[in-house]
Amino acid sequence: FGYRNRIKSRHVDFVICDRENIRPLLVIELDDSSHQRNDRTERDRFVDRALGDAGLPILHQKVQYTYNPQELEDKISQLLNSTK
């Protein structure tokens, strides 16, 4: 029950899935200034390890007012291609 309790209240911002079988391919975590707090950095390390153990890459994206779609697409493609 120890690990279950540690992960039951965790969440991420976005999950990109395979269109045909809804298999998770990549996680996106939007990092705002709260991610600099000690409790959040510990939480982020835990989530990163759990996702890594599951074979899911994670993209930590700094929160911005606007995003460059091409830049995001490049980051996502790079992570997806590095796991193949």
Side-chain angles (χ1 to χ4, degrees), residues 17-42:
C17 297
D18 180 275
R19 183 184 314 212
E20 292 186 26
N21 60 21
I22 315 300
R23 180 177 60 90
L25 299 173
L26 173 90
V27 169
I28 299 175
E29 182 73 5
L30 298 176
D31 292 347
D32 61 12
S33 60
S34 72
H35 286 258
Q36 296 173 6
R37 294 188 335 237
N38 287 339
D39 63 322
R40 287 295 294 209
T41 57
E42 182 179 323

Side-chain angles (χ1 to χ4, degrees), residues 43-62:
R43 175 253 181 219
D44 287 346
R45 283 192 299 269
F46 176 79
V47 170
D48 289 355
R49 280 192 311 271
L51 292 171
D53 289 348
L56 279 173
I58 184 167
L59 170 61
H60 285 275
Q61 175 63 47
K62 183 178 178 182

